[in-house]
Amino acid sequence: QSALTQPRSVSGSPGQSVTISCTGTSSDVGGYNYVSWYQQHPGKAPKLMIYDVSKRPSGVPDRFSGSKSGNTASLTISGLQAEDEADYYCCSYAGSYTFWVFGGGTKLTVL
Amino acid sequence: QVTLKESGPVLVKPTETLTLTCTVSGFSLSNARMGVSWIRQPPGKALEWLAHIFSNDEKSYSTSLKSRLTISKDTSKSQVVLTMTNMDPVDTATYYCARIKDGYNYYDYWGQGTLVTVSS
């Protein structure tokens, strides 16, 4: 069982918006503004999409946005495109003993 | 151009020790405040953080696997090595190395991963 809880799957039609949640505790998500999100296509390595809760690396479309409230972080993808279909993982810093923890992953299906 | 590449055995037997190597390029392990983590992913399952080595050679391990893991680096070879003892079929996974800057908390570059199967 992963440290952070994500929905197993979400879906949306092209052009719509979807939000993926990532729930932790006050020891990880709630305790630090260090949540990152990764996109993983089948057979590929994860790719950084969001860091420090809401910052986007250069090259990541602004359709991807992140936020956090309490112990839950969220990734929102607006204007869904077919290429967004992938698995998404959240990751949070969890202190100088546990360091980093991942979520269980969410499969995004573009209908 | 930053790259990381994992290498090691494709198949190991139960109870054996796994040794994986991550060879990096485009940055130095000895300075620039760069660290490297090992992360694994069983087939069809989630990512799991295993271990990390900081630029100052400080090391950290997953609490659940700490007794079986050792991470080290050879800066002259630009390599980070992970050993995992007493391998079991449940350790079958794709093993990734990924870069994280000291003081930061996100992985900006990942290796392609290497699939390790544990079977007799």
Side-chain angles (χ1 to χ4, degrees), chain A residues 45-59:
Chain A
K47 174 188 175 184
L48 177 67
M49 304 302 285
I50 294 288
Y51 67 97
D52 293 353
V53 175
S54 59
K55 299 177 182 177
R56 270 182 293 105
S58 61

Side-chain angles (χ1 to χ4, degrees), chain A residues 4-91:
Chain A
L4 306 179
T5 300
Q6 298 180 232
R8 292 289 295 268
S9 64
V10 298
S11 63
S13 299
Q16 289 186 333
S17 294
V18 295
T19 297
I20 300 171
S21 61
C22 169
T23 301
T25 69
S26 57
S27 297
D28 38 63
V29 174
Y32 308 93
N33 288 322
Y34 295 137
V35 176
S36 53
W37 290 89
Y38 302 87
Q39 177 191 66
Q40 186 180 37
H41 286 109
K44 300 295 186 182
K47 174 188 175 184
L48 177 67
M49 304 302 285
I50 294 288
Y51 67 97
D52 293 353
V53 175
S54 59
K55 299 177 182 177
R56 270 182 293 105
S58 61
V60 172
D62 60 6
R63 302 184 295 103
F64 291 84
S65 62
S67 62
K68 191 186 85 166
S69 178
N71 296 336
T72 298
S74 298
L75 173 71
T76 297
I77 309 170
S78 58
L80 271 178
Q81 299 182 3
E83 60 261 35
D84 298 335
E85 184 162 294
D87 293 326
Y88 291 84
Y89 291 91
C90 61
C91 179

Side-chain angles (χ1 to χ4, degrees), chain A residues 86-100:
Chain A
D87 293 326
Y88 291 84
Y89 291 91
C90 61
C91 179
S92 175
Y93 178 69
S96 59
Y97 184 68
T98 307
F99 281 93
W100 297 284

